[in-house]
Amino acid sequence: MPDLSQIVGQRVRSYRQKAHITQEILAERSGLHQTYIGQVERGEKNLTLNSLEKILSALELSLPEFFQGLG
């Protein structure tokens, strides 16, 4: 079973792909480094709440929308 970092990373990737944007564009919009976005999506990095907030803002998502259905 994937750990929470992997689940969150997969969800970030899914929403990014639904928005039809690249990791580079997400990084630019969120003010985070492109390498960091890739590490998050692969579950290699534990996000801070501040970083998650920046990513969700760039994806135009709220916290409840992002975590909806995770159970």
Side-chain angles (χ1 to χ4, degrees):
M1 180 172 165
D3 69 14
L4 187 56
S5 294
Q6 291 172 324
I7 293 167
V8 169
Q10 290 168 356
R11 195 153 263 223
V12 168
R13 176 177 284 141
S14 174
Y15 278 111
R16 176 182 59 76
Q17 290 173 336
K18 285 179 187 176
H20 304 289
I21 61 173
T22 64
Q23 287 181 353
E24 183 178 7
I25 292 170
L26 179 57
E28 188 177 300
R29 289 182 184 176
S30 65
L32 300 169
H33 197 276
Q34 180 180 350
T35 302
Y36 181 74
I37 297 294
Q39 291 170 329
V40 165
E41 288 188 0
R42 291 188 300 275
E44 297 170 355
K45 286 282 185 184
N46 288 319
L47 286 182
T48 65
L49 292 175
N50 289 336
S51 294
L52 180 59
E53 180 181 38
K54 290 176 183 180
I55 289 170
L56 296 184
S57 178
L59 292 170
E60 300 180 354
L61 290 170
S62 69
L63 275 172
E65 288 174 308
F66 184 75
F67 286 109
Q68 185 176 356
L70 275 183

